[in-house]
């Protein structure tokens, strides 16, 4: 079944698989994310006396708490140990889960869509409901209080902070620049090689500034200009002002 | 309280008064009996007594000192009254009675329950007993999936769960078999596991080969054993288990459904029937019926993978899609992101390599924008809506597009995927709601605007019909016009020639011949038709009055009149007309001849000599001037020429060209448009004769000229035909004859002589 798929084709093999869609409170969701790669709890499906199935989720002991949970659990509140699942059917609509895998796209990750596959269709909808306990309420209160606090505080300082005058050019910068400049100046590339490189650059774009070319080639500006005068023309008119492009005899931008 | 009591008594006594009519009250009843026994006077006495008694009581109450009794708060409080009454009534339900009823009821219920239990047990026993009597079940033998004969003998010692079905079953069999497998698995997982063999027996031996049964069973569980056989074997087994089966209506030779009993049989290790389960009992229940136990699954969150995103695609029921059919390899689903880069960034998509591109332009633009304080929106492909194309197995195609929905902030959604005995939880990253894509063409905003302006327009169907007809006719007319155009120009030229008479008679003859030919051509076409067409062209102009159209019409008219004349006037008339033209020409010729004669006069040697003498000094001056400003003055000349061309000559070109003899402009004008060989020749002739008195007069009338200017002017007019010396002498002679006004004016340093003629003369 491993036939070659085009980029926009969707792998539908998982379309038959049933999936539950579970609504999870934010705090629990955060905990789960913090504990990715391990068990988070046990789902207990049992029948109650009146014939209905009861689904309960029991947290695993020793779950890693995310950072934002500390304030919430400070005031005697705690994350509920057990959540009940309220299971319902999907009515009036069909829901399908699509997975998009961008593995192997590397640098194209922001340009292209990944390989697509259907992971299943949603057969049940569940809601993860916290128990009606005091500890839970306290935790929620802690949450609300914490979210109400401003992120920045005003603090009075007794001593004046040590300040430095702003400097445009630091010594290190100057030294680095100097080194860079000297490096450019000292090493002159073989003329043919440089010319070839410049031609290659012109293959990508038609117009270049001298400054850009010089930086690209990492060669002295005068040397680059010397070659440019051989093979390129300087534009002094607005559309591509103060840029170089190849002389017509060297140009072959085939469409 | 006193007052209340009193009022109550009053009320009672009043009731007693109405006694006979109101028998409901017991006291009233008693009084009525008294009334019945006694006489009427007795009643009267009593009445009196009562009234007296009432009066006394009332007076007494008045004497108490309170004219108006204090109103008790509870006075007329009906709620309290009703409560009081209820309390009085309540003594019926004592604790004793309650207890009594409970005891009796409870014992009755217990008895009922007990009876029911006994009955159920009895029924169960009965059922099992009857089953035990081998009315259901028994020995059976079929082929197993390996092709060997196997039956109840070989399977003894195991609990068996039998199910009858067929592999082509669309829905029920797979469900039931799944249930069966579940039950078996759950029972094995229990604390005290019970081993049960699930068995599937095919009731459709025609289609279910052993291989197919094997594959089918393997799909559900490796434990599931499949059995099939010949039709007789299967029928025998079905009969022993009282399983009904029959083939349904056939739509195709191999496409039918088998009706069969949906019952599972539990067989004990001795090979006896133990119990049966219908379709409606659920797997859990079936297990729980044996031992109530819970199932527990581990929920695991797999390692976070940034590369993988989960999206929930929502489809409204109205779209009617069925994802279960998508797994079919014939079904093809394609999805791609919408390309909205241009819209979001607000820039046109720019090519970023190759011809015409600048290195680092985008970065520079971005830097410039940042400098101006603007920041481009980040475009993310992962946030773009989807376009979906579904090619279903039956060939139907659906196109959908999605709308990305915002995720909630207070809760997250996780997907629970069952993976073996574990649930794997994945967080949902995105939500997309799908709607059908619009496939028909829609108006853009400009088109819509245009359509909107037409909203109140009533269509006149007659006008529309006429318009369409006109369009068709116009086309024909245009073709006609083109023909005419060619003919007309030819005609005009020929008229010219005939009238000019310079080329001689032979050409004229040719013209005549050509005209004849034309006539013949026209004769071929019906005349009437032609007229109709002309009318139509007018109508067209009425409907669509565009600029170009009017021109066409005028042209048409001209040509038609010409053609009309051609058509209607017989040959003799035409000749006459030609003669008229010639006559005009003759007049013109006369004029020209007169000019010539004047020139001849000038040419007279005697006169020439005289002129020379007079104009000697003038000529000399001219010569000097010419020599002085040979180079520089040419510019001035040019200027003058331009000026003349533009200002004076242009509108009267024809007139001046005629050299004073341009009276026949009406005839000549059309010829200007189409200069042909002989015509040009004629113009040349005119030019030769150009240097006339009349011409100079005209020139001088327009504005004052120096001699030099005049010379250049004339030179330009006459071309380089005449030699310069001759021209000068000629001009001198003319000037002498005209006797223009002379005056000197300073031009630069020199005094220049100007000639002019007043217009009044």
């Amino acid at each position: 079944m491993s036939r070659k798929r085009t980029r926009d084709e969707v792998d539908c093999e998982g379309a038959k698989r049933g999936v539950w869609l579970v609504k999870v409170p934010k705090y629990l969701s955060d905990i789960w994310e913090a504990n990715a790669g391990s068990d988070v709890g046990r789902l207990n499906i049992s029948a109650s006396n009146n014939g209905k199935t009861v689904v309960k989720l029991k947290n695993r002991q020793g779950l890693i708490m995310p950072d934002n949970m500390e304030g919430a659990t400070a005031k005697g509140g705690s994350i509920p140990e057990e959540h009940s699942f309220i299971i319902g059917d999907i009515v009036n609509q069909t829901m399908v889960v699509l997975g998009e895998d961008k593995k192997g796209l590397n640098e194209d990750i922001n340009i292209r869509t990944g390989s697509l596959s259907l992971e299943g269709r949603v057969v049940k909808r569940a809601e993860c409901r916290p128990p009606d306990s005091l500890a839970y309420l306290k935790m929620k209160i802690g949450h609300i209080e914490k979210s109400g606090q401003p992120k920045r505080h005003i603090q009075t300082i007794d001593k004046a902070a040590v300040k430095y005058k702003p400097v445009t050019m630091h010594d290190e910068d100057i030294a680095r620049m100097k080194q860079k400049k000297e490096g450019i100046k000292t090493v002159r590339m073989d003329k043919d090689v440089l010319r070839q490189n410049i031609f290659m650059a012109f293959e990508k774009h038609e117009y270049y500034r001298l400054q850009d070319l010089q930086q690209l080639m990492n060669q002295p500006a005068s040397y680059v200009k010397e070659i440019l005068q051989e093979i390129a023309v300087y534009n002094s008119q607005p559309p591509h002002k103060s840029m170089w492009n190849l002389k017509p005899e060297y140009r072959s931008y085939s469409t | 309280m006193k007052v209340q009591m009193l009022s109550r008594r009053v009320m009672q006594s009043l009731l007693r008064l109405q006694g006979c009519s109101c028998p409901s009250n017991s006291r009233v009843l008693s009084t009525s009996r008294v009334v019945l026994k006694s006489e009427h006077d007795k009643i009267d006495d009593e009445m009196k007594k009562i009234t007296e008694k009432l009066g006394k009581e009332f007076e007494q109450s008045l004497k108490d000192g309170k004219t108006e009794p204090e109103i008790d708060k509870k006075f007329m409080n009906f709620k309290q009254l009703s409560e009081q009454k209820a309390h009085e009534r309540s003594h019926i339900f004592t604790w004793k009675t309650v207890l009594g009823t409970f005891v009796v009821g409870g014992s009755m219920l217990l008895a009922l329950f007990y009876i029911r239990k006994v009955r159920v047990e009895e029924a169960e026993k009965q059922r099992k007993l009857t089953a035990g009597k081998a009315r259901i079940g028994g020995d059976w033998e079929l082929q197993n999936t390996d092709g060997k004969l196997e039956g109840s003998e070989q399977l003894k010692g195991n609990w068996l769960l039998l199910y009858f079905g067929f592999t082509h079953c669309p829905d029920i069999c797979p469900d039931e078999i799944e249930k069966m497998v579940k039950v078996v698995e759950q029972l094995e997982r229990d604390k005290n596991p019970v081993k049960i063999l699930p068995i599937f027996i095919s009731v459709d031996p025609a289609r279910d080969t052993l291989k197919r049964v094997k594959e089918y069973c393997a799909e559900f569980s490796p434990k599931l054993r499949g059995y099939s056989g010949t039709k007789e074997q299967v029928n025998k087994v079905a009969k022993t288990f009282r399983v009904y089966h029959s083939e349904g209506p056939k739509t195709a030779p191999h496409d039918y459904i088998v009706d069969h009993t949906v019952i599972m049989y539990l067989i004990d290790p001795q090979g006896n029937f133990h119990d049966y389960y219908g379709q409606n009992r659920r797997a859990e229940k079936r297990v729980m019926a044996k031992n109530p136990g819970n199932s527990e699954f581990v929920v695991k969150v797999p390692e976070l993978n940034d590369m993988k995103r989960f999206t929930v695609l929502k489809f409204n029921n109205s779209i009617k899609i069925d994802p279960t059919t998508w797994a079919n390899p014939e079904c093809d689903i394609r999805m791609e992101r919408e390309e909205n880069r241009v819209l979001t960034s607000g820039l046109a998509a720019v090519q970023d390599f190759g011809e015409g591109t600048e290195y680092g332009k985008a970065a520079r633009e971005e830097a410039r924008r940042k400098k101006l304080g603007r920041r481009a929106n980040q475009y993310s492909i992962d946030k773009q809506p989807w376009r979906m194309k579904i090619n279903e197995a039956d060939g139907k195609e659906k196109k959908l597009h999605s709308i990305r929905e915002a995720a909630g902030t207070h809760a997250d959604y996780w997907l629970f995927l069952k993976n073996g005995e574990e649930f794997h939880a994945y967080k949902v990253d995105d939500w997309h709601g799908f709607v059908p894509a619009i496939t028909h063409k829609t108006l853009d905003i400009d088109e819509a605007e245009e359509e909107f302006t037409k909203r109140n327009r009533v269509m006149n169907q007659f006008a529309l019909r006429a318009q369409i007809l006109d369009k068709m006719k116009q086309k024909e007319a245009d073709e006609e016009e083109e023909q005419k155009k060619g003919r007309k120009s030819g005609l005009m030229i020929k008229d010219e020639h005939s009238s000019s008479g310079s080329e001689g008679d032979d050409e004229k003859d040719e013209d005549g011949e050509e005209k004849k030919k034309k006539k013949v051509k026209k004769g071929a076409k019906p005349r009437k038709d032609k007229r109709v067409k002309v009318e139509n062209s007018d109508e067209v102009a009425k409907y669509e009055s565009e600029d170009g159209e009017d021109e066409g019409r005028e042209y048409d008219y001209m040509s038609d009149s010409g053609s009309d004349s051609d058509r209607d006037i017989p040959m003799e008339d035409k000749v006459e007309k030609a003669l008229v033209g010639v006559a005009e020409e003759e007049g013109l010729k006369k004029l020209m001849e007169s000019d010539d004669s004047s020139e001849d006069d000038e040419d007279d040697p005697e006169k020439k000599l005289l002129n020379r003498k007079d104009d000697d000094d003038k000529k000399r001056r001219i010569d000097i001037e010419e020599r002085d400003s040979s180079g520089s003055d040419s510019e001035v000349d040019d200027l003058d020429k331009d000026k003349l061309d533009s200002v004076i000559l242009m509108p009267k070109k024809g007139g001046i060209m005629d050299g004073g003899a341009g009276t026949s402009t009406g005839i000549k004008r059309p010829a200007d448009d189409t200069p042909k060989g002989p015509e040009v020749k004629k113009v040349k002739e005119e030019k030769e004769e150009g240097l006339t008195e009349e011409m100079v007069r005209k020139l001088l009338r327009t504005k004052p000229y120096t001699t030099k200017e005049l010379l250049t002017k004339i030179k330009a007019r006459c071309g380089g035909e005449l030699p310069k010396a001759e021209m000068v002498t000629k001009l001198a002679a003319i000037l002498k004859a005209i006797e223009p006004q002379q005056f000197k004016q300073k031009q630069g340093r020199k005094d220049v002589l100007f000639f002019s003629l007043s217009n009044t003369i």
Side-chain angles (χ1 to χ4, degrees), chain A residues 1 3 6-10 12-13 15-26 29-30 32-33 35-47 51 53 57 85 91-104 109-113 116-119 121-122 125-126 203-209 212 216 239-241 243 253 255, chain B residues 282 284-285 288 293-318 321-337 339 341 352-361 364 379-382 386 388 408-419 422-423 425 427-428 431:
Chain A
M1 273 303 217
R3 69 187 160 118
T6 53
R7 208 145 56 86
D8 58 346
E9 206 167 327
V10 185
C12 295
E13 264 167 50
K16 265 191 176 174
R17 177 153 60 154
V19 171
W20 282 13
L21 184 67
V22 185
K23 187 178 179 181
V24 180
K26 195 85 180 170
S29 177
D30 288 344
W32 285 6
E33 273 185 304
N35 288 280
S38 66
D39 299 355
V40 290
R42 287 176 162 273
L43 201 65
N44 196 327
I45 301 168
S46 61
T53 46
L57 179 80
F85 270 42
V91 283
N92 291 332
Q93 61 181 353
T94 315
M95 288 205 246
V96 181
V97 181
L98 178 83
E100 185 188 2
D101 198 354
K102 286 202 159 185
K103 213 175 6 182
I109 201 156
N110 291 324
I111 308 168
R112 286 168 51 181
T113 49
L116 303 172
S117 61
L118 292 183
E119 300 292 331
R121 74 201 153 85
V122 180
R125 171 170 232 164
E203 272 172 27
K204 282 174 194 154
H205 298 278
E206 196 177 349
Y207 300 96
Y208 277 88
R209 280 160 190 254
D212 291 334
L216 280 174
H240 303 285
K241 204 183 172 185
M243 297 188 112
Y253 296 99
T255 49
Chain B
R282 290 171 60 187
E284 283 87 6
K285 271 194 178 174
M288 277 169 235
N294 299 345
S295 50
E296 213 169 54
F297 303 93
V298 173
V299 178
K300 193 184 171 185
V301 178
E303 286 283 355
L304 291 180
N305 183 1
D306 290 338
M307 292 289 158
K308 186 134 190 178
R309 295 167 61 82
F310 285 89
T311 311
V312 174
L313 315 177
K314 296 205 291 186
F315 303 91
N316 201 325
N317 264 7
S318 60
I321 57 146
D322 186 10
T324 50
T325 61
W326 292 354
N328 192 333
E330 281 167 50
C331 190
D332 181 36
I333 293 176
R334 280 157 198 280
M335 285 174 83
E336 58 183 359
R337 299 271 189 188
E339 182 55 64
R341 196 179 289 274
D352 50 358
F353 61 89
E355 190 176 6
T357 57
E358 291 176 6
Y359 173 80
K361 188 175 187 179
R364 270 202 300 282
Y379 177 80
S380 167
I381 192 167
D382 293 331
W386 289 102
M388 189 182 207
T409 47
H410 297 298
D412 287 332
Y413 281 87
W414 288 70
L415 295 164
F416 276 41
L417 272 78
K418 193 146 186 269
N419 199 330
E422 283 183 341
F423 272 118
K427 198 175 168 186
V428 177
W431 290 81

Side-chain angles (χ1 to χ4, degrees), chain A residues 126 199 238:
Chain A
F199 272 129

Side-chain angles (χ1 to χ4, degrees), chain B residues 34 56 93 116 175 183-184 196 227 282 303 361 434 472 521 577 679 695 759:
Chain B
V34 174
K56 271 177 194 169
F93 298 100
R116 189 168 174 263
D175 279 359
V183 167
V184 171
I196 294 184
Y227 288 92
R282 290 171 60 187
E303 286 283 355
K361 188 175 187 179
F434 276 82
M472 283 162 68
K521 224 180 181 179
K577 197 192 166 196
E679 216 260 341
M695 182 189 171
N759 285 325

Side-chain angles (χ1 to χ4, degrees), chain B residues 448-501:
Chain B
E449 194 84 11
E450 202 177 310
E451 288 298 312
F452 189 69
T453 58
K454 291 179 190 167
R455 71 198 186 282
N456 287 332
R457 197 168 291 179
V458 180
M459 192 166 70
N460 186 345
Q461 289 189 330
F462 294 106
L464 187 72
R465 187 163 166 268
Q467 218 171 344
I468 291 163
L469 278 173
D470 286 339
K471 256 181 203 165
M472 283 162 68
K473 278 171 186 168
Q474 198 192 349
K475 234 183 205 174
E476 286 174 38
D478 279 347
E479 282 165 23
E480 199 93 343
E481 239 169 57
E482 265 170 41
Q483 282 180 8
K484 275 180 214 159
K485 240 189 229 172
R487 195 174 58 224
K488 190 190 69 188
S489 56
L491 269 173
M492 293 309 242
I493 288 163
K494 268 144 209 169
D495 278 346
E496 203 73 21
H497 288 311
S498 59
S499 58
S500 70

Side-chain angles (χ1 to χ4, degrees), chain B residues 536-583:
Chain B
N536 282 338
S537 71
D538 268 10
E539 274 176 17
V540 170
K542 238 181 262 169
Y543 278 112
E544 294 165 290
S545 55
E546 281 173 15
D547 291 7
E549 219 67 38
D550 274 336
E551 283 174 18
R553 192 164 58 138
E554 203 172 2
Y555 219 149
D556 207 357
Y557 174 73
M558 276 170 70
S559 71
D560 274 330
S561 69
S563 62
D564 270 345
S565 64
D566 274 351
R567 195 170 55 229
D568 297 330
I569 302 159
M571 195 64 180
E572 293 86 357
D573 290 7
K574 222 191 297 180
V575 171
E576 264 183 23
K577 197 192 166 196
L579 280 173
V580 170
V582 170

Side-chain angles (χ1 to χ4, degrees), chain B residues 504-515:
Chain B
D505 292 342
D506 46 7
E507 256 200 308
K508 218 176 179 179
D509 287 354
E510 272 178 30
D511 287 356
E513 275 176 351
E514 271 189 41
K515 269 179 194 166

Side-chain angles (χ1 to χ4, degrees), chain B residues 216-234:
Chain B
Y216 187 69
C217 291
E219 253 178 60
F220 294 99
S221 167
K223 287 169 199 156
L224 183 66
R225 295 193 188 190
Y227 288 92
S228 187
T230 61
K231 209 166 183 180
E232 291 75 40
Q233 283 173 320
V234 169

